[in-house]
Amino acid sequence: MLRFATRPLSRRFRSGYRWVDERAGTTDLVHKGLYEAVPDRGAWAYTLGSATLVLIVLQFFTGIFLLLTYVPSFASAWDSLRFLQTSDRFGNWVRGMHLWSAYVLILVIGLHMLRTFLSASYKRPRELNWVSGGILFFLVLGLAITGAMLPMDNAGYWTTVVVTNIPHYLPFIGDAIRTLWRGGDFVGPITLTRTFAIHIWVLPFLLLALIGAHLYLLRRHGEFGAWVNYSTTTDDPDREIAERIRRAEPPYPTLRIERQYAAPRKTVGFFPNQLFKDTVVSIVLVAIIFVFGFIAGAPLDARADPATLTYVPSPEWFYLPLDQLLVLTPQTYLIAFGVFLLVGLGSLALILLPFYDRSPARRPLSRPEVLVPGLFLAFMVVILAVLGVNRLYGL
Ligand code: HEM
């Protein structure tokens, strides 16, 4: 004990680390995490996944900070946020970051999805990477919309009224779900308690579990990257590919028809190459969020007034396409049910994409059967959003 106390500090740290390492295997773990081969070409596009991860971590940090002030009660929620706005500049900045980071997260996760769609990264053996990712996408949307309900200002209150009414369109069990969520027939104090629990416990718990699965699958199969990394260059492609597979660590597909995509032609180390690009993109995004959080902050409408007849509710921008679709269709139960059914089936079809697009083709232009519907869907979402903006803001 005396010998340990008289050693220089650096040696004491080193021997302390060795003690932990021998028991916990930390060095092995860090090496496994850092020294992984990733495809060389297209690396900037592969930064979107880690940027998504960083933004989610930022959401957790800023969210925990908000919990220090926010009061999840129908009577006091608005006052607690008003207090931030008027008396706590730093707290208000954190609230702004929580909002802007959610907005950037939705954009970045959408781009990550688009890039893995275009590169057909979801094909064998990465089907479950896509399925877990697809569910994560909807969880993030769920977090964003339940978060928008919490301030209990007019915008939050009327969002709650509209969103908790959506289950009503489900036949047989819809009304029971609506009553369960609202804690009665109408939005009230219990609705806020339940929405708060969903926002800070249920969805984050599912999110963390699925992110774990998503990252585990990523390390198991390795990064596919994009088709540009897979062309063969010799007269004997079979030998070349066998050589590449021998070099590459993760288990790659072995079906004869997929061998071309078994391992990338040229790889670089995740550390330092990919990690450097990941870090640059994440720092830029976080910096943007810091600035927007500070300058634009997060809005707070007037205190919720359930009796108002003049307030015109407008949806969060990421729900604008769905809102516009509902506005364009006649307001009968059957048609609204049809729209929700269509959106539900469309979402399911998106999550299950790898199970019906099973051809080995990876280049986008060789896959018109998924590229054309995919682009059409993206086009429709943009058109509906533009129409919605025009309706609400007359631009
Ligand atoms: C919380 C949300 C998510 C996180 C934290 C996350 C994280 C990551 C990371 C770090 C990677 C590796 C780097 C990269 O390729 O960008 C990755 C790859 C992947 N992600 Fe995600 N992701 C999320 C959501 C999604 C979504 C919404 C989808 C699509 C529906 C998706 C599908 C995939 C696929 C297929 C890969 C493999 C890419 C390849 O091997 O080329 N992910 N994800």
Side-chain angles (χ1 to χ4, degrees):
M1 183 66 198
L2 188 70
R3 252 185 65 213
F4 183 79
T6 53
R7 277 188 215 157
L9 201 60
S10 60
R11 278 187 59 196
R12 263 188 275 166
F13 267 128
R14 239 178 291 141
S15 68
Y17 179 77
R18 266 203 301 276
W19 189 93
V20 174
D21 193 29
E22 198 183 315
R23 281 143 191 92
T26 24
T27 305
D28 257 10
L29 214 65
V30 171
H31 274 241
K32 259 203 177 121
L34 288 181
Y35 299 106
E36 158 110 355
V38 282
D40 182 30
R41 295 182 59 194
W44 287 104
Y46 318 148
T47 59
L48 293 165
S50 59
T52 306
L53 194 59
V54 167
L55 294 174
I56 285 178
V57 171
L58 185 61
Q59 282 302 85
F60 271 89
F61 271 115
T62 49
I64 290 170
F65 194 88
L66 285 176
L67 284 180
L68 302 179
T69 305
Y70 175 78
V71 182
S73 105
F74 209 61
S76 311
W78 186 86
D79 290 306
S80 62
L81 296 181
R82 182 79 187 141
F83 168 78
L84 281 187
Q85 219 175 32
T86 53
S87 316
D88 180 354
R89 283 190 71 168
F90 181 68
N92 203 41
W93 184 18
V94 175
R95 181 168 173 247
M97 283 196 272
H98 196 66
L99 179 81
W100 284 98
S101 152
Y103 287 173
V104 176
L105 172 61
I106 291 171
L107 283 177
V108 171
I109 202 175
L111 288 176
H112 175 54
M113 204 164 167
L114 184 68
R115 114 73 191 140
T116 52
F117 170 76
L118 288 176
S119 61
S121 296
Y122 53 81
K123 292 197 175 183
R124 192 187 131 88
R126 296 178 185 77
E127 294 93 332
L128 293 180
N129 297 42
W130 176 270
V131 172
S132 56
I135 302 173
L136 279 169
F137 176 70
F138 288 105
L139 285 179
V140 165
L141 286 185
L143 274 160
I145 202 64
T146 46
M149 299 179 190
L150 300 181
M152 275 303 134
D153 54 356
N154 265 328
Y157 176 82
W158 290 103
T159 302
T160 310
V161 171
V162 173
V163 173
T164 53
N165 193 45
I166 291 177
H168 162 71
Y169 295 99
L170 274 177
F172 310 118
I173 50 167
D175 283 344
I177 295 177
R178 180 176 65 180
T179 309
L180 186 68
W181 190 351
R182 288 183 170 177
D185 287 340
F186 303 102
V187 167
I190 299 178
T191 323
L192 180 62
T193 308
R194 291 184 182 174
T195 307
F196 178 67
I198 294 171
H199 185 74
I200 69 148
W201 290 115
V202 181
L203 296 180
F205 173 77
L206 294 173
L207 191 84
L208 286 184
L210 265 173
I211 289 178
H214 195 68
L215 296 184
Y216 162 74
L217 290 167
L218 171 74
R219 293 324 288 251
R220 175 169 164 71
H221 300 301
E223 175 85 26
F224 172 75
W227 66 96
V228 285
N229 290 288
Y230 294 85
S231 53
T232 44
T233 51
T234 61
D235 297 338
D236 190 353
D238 255 7
R239 235 185 95 189
E240 188 187 336
I241 290 162
E243 171 60 24
R244 279 194 224 158
I245 295 175
R246 208 177 52 72
R247 264 193 294 110
E249 268 172 51
Y252 283 102
T254 49
L255 277 196
R256 188 84 193 150
I257 48 166
E258 291 159 347
R259 276 174 66 87
Q260 189 194 340
Y261 297 108
R265 184 148 50 98
K266 188 167 171 237
T267 56
V268 290
F270 172 74
F271 175 81
N273 303 276
Q274 185 66 41
L275 190 60
F276 170 73
K277 295 188 169 82
D278 285 352
T279 311
V280 170
V281 170
S282 293
I283 286 180
V284 169
L285 290 176
V286 171
I288 291 174
I289 290 161
F290 269 51
V291 172
F292 272 75
F294 188 73
I295 294 175
L300 187 67
D301 259 1
R303 186 194 292 275
D305 174 9
T308 178
L309 294 174
T310 50
Y311 184 78
V312 183
S314 58
E316 282 283 351
W317 61 267
F318 46 86
Y319 277 102
L320 206 53
L322 179 59
D323 183 68
Q324 184 63 20
L325 188 63
L326 283 170
V327 167
L328 289 179
T329 46
Q331 290 300 296
T332 67
Y333 174 85
L334 260 185
I335 291 181
F337 167 69
V339 170
F340 284 118
L341 190 68
L342 198 75
V343 173
L345 290 178
S347 308
L348 197 65
L350 189 68
I351 292 179
L352 297 180
L353 171 67
F355 299 104
Y356 53 88
D357 178 21
R358 296 164 64 91
S359 77
R362 305 276 183 153
R363 287 167 186 269
L365 293 181
S366 318
R367 300 153 42 220
E369 66 286 358
V370 288
L371 192 71
V372 173
L375 290 183
F376 176 74
L377 185 78
F379 182 69
M380 286 310 292
V381 168
V382 173
I383 292 285
L384 285 170
V386 170
L387 289 176
V389 169
N390 194 36
R391 169 176 56 92
L392 289 168
Y393 308 106
L395 299 177

